[in-house]
Amino acid sequence: MSFVYQCRHCGQTLGKIEQQVADAAMLGLDKLSIEDKKEMIQYQENGDVQIKTICESCEESLGTNPHYHELDFFIQ
């Protein structure tokens, strides 16, 4: 099983943790609200867990262009 961190905007893979045994508390995922968990965590058919986050480049773009927050995807 792997935990794959991927940018929600550009799709870039930011990191991958390959663990045989891991839990939500170990990664801090238990601190998320139910809504955030639904939005950020996806379970893949192969057992991997995909976690949506934001990369530095997209974070910078959002800081420079605050109106982008209204969009689900601002990178074409």
Side-chain angles (χ1 to χ4, degrees):
M1 170 173 49
S2 297
F3 293 88
V4 181
Y5 289 81
Q6 189 172 34
C7 181
R8 70 176 63 242
H9 299 289
C10 68
Q12 176 183 355
T13 298
L14 303 172
K16 185 174 187 178
I17 300 171
E18 296 194 30
Q19 290 276 64
Q20 292 300 321
V21 178
D23 62 16
M26 187 172 112
L27 299 174
L29 300 177
D30 60 328
K31 306 289 187 217
L32 297 174
S33 68
I34 293 170
E35 296 84 23
D36 286 342
K37 287 179 185 177
K38 288 180 183 177
E39 183 180 321
M40 295 176 66
I41 301 172
Q42 295 178 350
Y43 297 92
Q44 306 299 311
E45 290 181 16
N46 66 356
D48 288 354
V49 179
Q50 185 179 51
I51 303 167
K52 297 290 186 175
T53 187
I54 185 169
C55 69
E56 289 181 18
S57 178
C58 289
E59 184 176 21
E60 183 178 322
S61 293
L62 285 166
T64 306
N65 304 286
H67 62 282
Y68 284 177
H69 285 279
E70 299 171 5
L71 308 172
D72 289 332
F73 300 97
F74 58 86
I75 296 178
Q76 301 295 322

